[in-house]
Amino acid sequence: QVQLVESGGGLVQAGGSLRLSCAASGRTFSNYGMGWFRQAPGKERVFVAAISGSGRTTSYADSVKGRFTISRDNAKNTVYLQMNSLKPEDTAVYYCAATETYCSGYVCYDPVKYMYWGQGTQVTVSS
């Protein structure tokens, strides 16, 4: 299996920006589709963004579209989530995940499709 480690979480003010990173182990990083999910207190884990193995295809939840950008650097085995114009409702634990599944449209939205998960990193947005 692969190991994923998130970093970059923290406390920011509304309207601010934050960049999350997810470092993956192994030499087959480009074979994995990658996704970001988040879980707010008392709520289920939900899809935020995903990117295909090649990085050519991306997808976003409606709630973050236009504000968040997912990217990857396969040479560094790293996926990123650039978060701009942050809102208090973005407060959650953010999880990086990897999948070996080739989903329709080249990206996966369902968390059950992802077999590898990071430990999560807390993002808190104050008003």
Side-chain angles (χ1 to χ4, degrees):
Q1 65 177 33
V2 299
Q3 183 173 312
L4 305 174
V5 180
E6 301 101 330
S7 62
L11 174 64
V12 298
Q13 292 184 327
S17 298
L18 204 61
R19 183 180 176 88
L20 305 183
S21 298
C22 175
S25 64
R27 296 184 178 181
T28 58
F29 181 66
S30 63
N31 293 337
Y32 297 98
M34 301 295 296
W36 286 97
F37 297 79
R38 67 187 183 188
Q39 187 168 19
K43 298 183 179 180
E44 292 188 340
R45 191 171 301 183
V46 298
F47 170 81
V48 175
I51 188 167
S52 62
S54 68
R56 297 182 185 275
T57 303
T58 59
S59 185
Y60 301 90
D62 289 341
S63 60
V64 306
K65 193 171 299 183
R67 300 188 297 120
F68 290 11
T69 302
I70 188 172
S71 62
R72 67 191 297 160
D73 186 340
N74 288 344
K76 296 182 178 180
N77 281 14
T78 303
V79 63
Y80 306 94
L81 185 67
Q82 178 66 47
M83 305 184 294
N84 299 325
S85 301
L86 283 163
K87 305 174 181 179
E89 49 263 47
D90 294 319
T91 295
V93 176
Y94 283 71
Y95 297 90
C96 173
T99 180
E100 297 174 338
T101 303
Y102 293 96
C103 296
S104 178
Y106 299 99
V107 294
C108 300
Y109 308 96
D110 193 337
V112 303
K113 299 289 188 178
Y114 291 83
M115 58 283 296
Y116 306 113
W117 293 83
Q119 81 287 349
T121 185
Q122 177 71 47
V123 172
T124 303
V125 184
S126 64
S127 59

